[in-house]
Amino acid sequence: MHILAVLLPIITVILMMTVFNWPSKAALPLGWLLTVLSAVFIWKVRFTDAAGYTVYGILKSFDILIIIFGAILLLNTLKHSGGMDRICRGFDSVSRDRRVQALIIGWMFSAFIEGSAGFGTPAALAAPLLVAVGFPPLAAASFTLIMNSTPVAFGAVGTPIQGALSSVAALVVKTDLNPMEFTTKLVQNTALIHFIIGSFLPILGLMMLTKVFGKEKSFKPAFDALPFALLAGFAFTIPYLLSAVFLGYELPSIIGGITGLAIIVPAARKGFLVPRKIWTFNGYSESKENSVPLRELTTEKSMSLLKAWSPYIIIALFLLITRIPWFRVKPILSSAGITFPGFFGIADKYRLKWAYLPGILPFMATAVLTAFIHKARRSEIKAAWKDSFRQISGAAIALIFGVAMVQLMLHSDINSQGNPSMLSELAGLLASASGRAYTFVAPFIGVLGAFMSGSNTVSNILFSSLQFETALILSLPPVIITSLQVVGGGIGNMVCINNVVAVSATVGISGEEGRIIRRNSLPMVIYSLLAGLVGVILIAITAA
């Protein structure tokens, strides 16, 4: 009965969005209602606690909404100021091939932003940038979500790893493992698994792009770009792995992203390993001339490329300075905030960390600054804000109910029967049913946590201890199984509800979330199964 109560809201949301094509703003309120009924009548959660954590979830959703709004506002400001047109022409001068542009923006630029900020920021910035240079919105959203998986384990300066370590710290000590050695092995195993699989993620993403969205509906254009895709893959994952091995868990995605951009942008400009024929969503072109833009420009303003890119340069520098512990700015920003009381008597109090939320600093602040740098007219600034409020309204309902649903599931362990939380119950069932095949199941538990919570960090906090204990029961190496949890939490970003809703809103396709989840499920499953296979090999090597 308990497991049915857990599955009912989750399966209902998935079916409504992926099979019946309900928009998320309709499916998620239904999922929340079913969660409330299950929590109160099956889990025996007090109604006041259910109401309290619903309000807490609504407030938590503002964190995501602010990030989305900031990203949309920046994009709209660039559109109306003329900066985006100049950026687009700049990409045309590097390469007019959509496959190359996808890898520069959706893979490498996104990875750098993930390493610096995380928490849904990469897709919110990269997807609209792809749309601006000429990608179909659905293609841009799907591609950036798929790419935003390998870098996530070390995103936000290693926050997901910190979450996993906090979850298993007591168990590590209890089992007489050396905490420092466990941390080192966890970081190295996580990076190694992602290196082995993630190096080939760019070609997998291009296969989806050309097969689903290309005129030819074929994998051939993707395979034609295989040499450049492999260059892009290894240009990120090699420095990523080396950074994890020698420097720790804070910098792999940042260093991988910066190094990769420094490699593939000049390579694309010089035509190194770039396909002979240019590919666009309308098919192939023999021409390599860059003088004819692929889209109609919306403004005739003259602007240098440096001035056009200045908002993204400001954002990148700000995120580096404020997220890397060495600069000691992070504690100052994260301590500033507004605390709300625990509603209906719940213990958890929501804190709006306004200074640390990237949606405010630096996104909104940079958007305001951009208007001055680009000398935007008052009418252009007004239009940018108006468009942004209109676009965010479509995502608000879905996110409010989605986050409220997740928070209620997370805190359903506060009940009169001593039951574990709903998500822990579901993960425990998967663990007990899998037996020795658990190595293949472990990444999917990480995916489950990210799918529901929208965060690799939260997934790790939720399930790392469960993964650790299950490994002990099955006589599997706890550090490898915990690594698979971290990897799975990153893979879950491809399909997680919050990120899908957020990126759909930023590119203006709210209501298409089910289609994105359905399409991205295949690469998610492939990546997860391969991670399990690598885990089996690592366990065999360890046992030898």
Side-chain angles (χ1 to χ4, degrees):
M1 186 60 154
H2 279 80
I3 196 61
L4 291 176
V6 179
L7 289 172
L8 181 60
I10 297 174
I11 291 178
T12 298
V13 169
I14 293 173
L15 287 177
M16 291 300 102
M17 291 177 65
T18 60
V19 177
F20 297 102
N21 291 320
W22 279 29
S24 58
K25 64 182 180 181
L28 287 170
L30 176 59
W32 165 80
L33 178 60
L34 293 174
T35 302
V36 170
L37 295 175
S38 295
V40 172
F41 294 106
I42 307 298
W43 241 255
K44 303 302 180 184
V45 174
R46 292 187 307 173
F47 182 79
T48 52
D49 287 336
Y53 280 108
T54 292
V55 175
Y56 179 74
I58 291 171
L59 293 173
K60 289 281 287 184
S61 70
F62 287 120
D63 290 355
I64 306 169
L65 286 168
I66 289 170
I67 293 174
I68 299 170
F69 180 80
I72 293 173
L73 179 63
L74 177 63
L75 175 70
N76 285 331
T77 302
L78 282 166
K79 280 183 178 179
H80 289 283
S81 72
M84 190 55 68
D85 285 338
R86 184 66 186 92
I87 289 172
C88 293
R89 292 198 300 272
F91 273 111
D92 280 351
S93 70
V94 173
S95 175
R96 293 175 57 210
D97 193 306
R98 298 300 188 221
R99 297 163 296 186
V100 175
Q101 293 175 345
L103 294 177
I104 292 174
I105 301 172
W107 167 243
M108 207 66 77
F109 176 69
S110 174
F112 168 73
I113 296 299
E114 175 61 46
S116 305
F119 298 100
T121 307
L125 284 177
L129 192 53
L130 286 175
V131 172
V133 300
F135 279 60
L138 204 55
S142 296
F143 186 82
T144 51
L145 287 168
I146 292 171
M147 295 297 103
N148 191 35
S149 50
T150 301
V152 175
F154 303 103
V157 201
T159 305
I161 296 289
Q162 295 175 27
L165 291 172
S166 69
S167 178
V168 302
L171 292 170
V172 170
V173 174
K174 184 179 178 181
T175 50
D176 295 325
L177 294 172
N178 183 304
M180 188 170 293
E181 184 180 342
F182 181 88
T183 299
T184 300
K185 288 183 177 179
L186 175 68
V187 171
Q188 293 178 354
N189 284 332
T190 300
L192 181 61
I193 294 168
H194 271 314
F195 167 78
I196 293 172
I197 307 166
S199 299
F200 304 95
L201 185 63
I203 188 61
L204 181 62
L206 290 184
M207 288 169 65
M208 181 279 297
L209 201 65
T210 62
K211 177 67 174 178
V212 177
F213 299 100
K215 180 181 179 181
E216 306 87 349
K217 304 295 180 185
S218 168
F219 293 132
K220 184 179 182 299
F223 291 133
D224 288 344
L226 179 61
F228 190 81
L230 290 176
L231 174 66
F234 286 105
F236 171 76
T237 58
I238 290 176
Y240 170 91
L241 177 62
L242 291 175
S243 178
V245 171
F246 295 107
L247 299 177
Y249 58 78
E250 290 94 349
L251 299 176
S253 293
I254 294 176
I255 290 177
I258 291 176
T259 306
L261 282 170
I263 292 171
I264 69 168
V265 172
R269 191 181 293 276
K270 293 181 179 297
F272 179 67
L273 298 182
V274 172
R276 185 177 63 84
K277 291 183 179 181
I278 292 173
W279 182 84
T280 70
F281 292 97
N282 294 322
Y284 283 101
S285 169
E286 295 285 350
S287 173
K288 287 185 177 289
E289 294 298 320
N290 295 317
S291 57
V292 182
L294 295 176
R295 77 207 70 77
E296 291 295 325
L297 301 181
T298 59
T299 178
E300 297 179 356
K301 284 186 179 179
S302 176
M303 186 182 301
S304 71
L305 192 57
L306 178 61
K307 182 184 284 190
W309 269 102
S310 61
Y312 290 106
I313 295 172
I314 292 169
I315 286 173
L317 290 174
F318 183 91
L319 292 174
L320 282 173
I321 293 169
T322 59
R323 267 54 177 179
I324 294 179
W326 298 342
F327 293 102
R328 300 183 180 179
V329 178
K330 181 177 178 179
I332 298 173
L333 294 183
S334 59
S335 63
I338 304 170
T339 302
F340 292 77
F343 291 89
F344 298 99
I346 64 171
D348 292 87
K349 298 178 180 180
Y350 169 69
R351 184 169 176 79
L352 177 64
K353 296 182 179 181
W354 61 268
Y356 192 69
L357 270 178
I360 298 175
L361 294 175
F363 290 178
M364 289 189 201
T366 303
V368 173
L369 187 60
T370 299
F372 289 98
I373 294 173
H374 291 181
K375 298 179 180 178
R377 304 182 187 93
R378 183 175 297 180
S379 60
E380 293 170 339
I381 298 172
K382 183 179 178 181
W385 281 84
K386 183 179 179 181
D387 290 347
S388 301
F389 278 114
R390 177 179 51 79
Q391 287 173 252
I392 194 66
S393 62
I397 295 174
L399 281 171
I400 285 171
F401 282 98
V403 178
M405 172 183 168
V406 169
Q407 289 301 319
L408 186 50
M409 283 187 164
L410 292 178
H411 294 92
S412 55
D413 56 341
I414 303 174
N415 58 72
S416 60
Q417 294 184 331
N419 295 316
S421 73
M422 291 181 172
L423 292 180
S424 294
E425 181 88 4
L426 180 56
L429 174 69
L430 292 173
S432 62
S434 58
R436 296 297 298 180
Y438 185 74
T439 307
F440 287 97
V441 174
F444 286 99
I445 292 178
V447 169
L448 171 67
F451 173 77
M452 294 306 301
S453 69
S455 167
N456 192 356
T457 301
V458 174
S459 178
N460 292 344
I461 292 170
L462 279 174
F463 296 141
S464 290
S465 58
L466 179 143
Q467 301 262 30
F468 190 106
E469 291 186 289
T470 304
L472 292 176
I473 293 170
L474 297 173
S475 299
L476 297 170
V479 69
I480 293 177
I481 297 302
T482 308
S483 299
L484 290 171
Q485 157 62 41
V486 178
V487 169
I491 298 169
N493 273 258
M494 295 186 188
V495 294
C496 82
I497 294 175
N498 287 358
N499 284 2
V500 172
V501 172
V503 75
S504 298
T506 60
V507 297
I509 53 170
S510 294
E512 296 289 344
E513 297 87 358
R515 190 181 301 184
I516 294 173
I517 291 173
R518 188 165 60 245
R519 284 175 175 159
N520 285 14
S521 291
L522 180 58
M524 178 272 289
V525 170
I526 292 172
Y527 204 137
S528 299
L529 290 175
L530 289 174
L533 179 60
V534 175
V536 170
I537 295 170
L538 291 177
I539 291 171
I541 293 172
T542 302

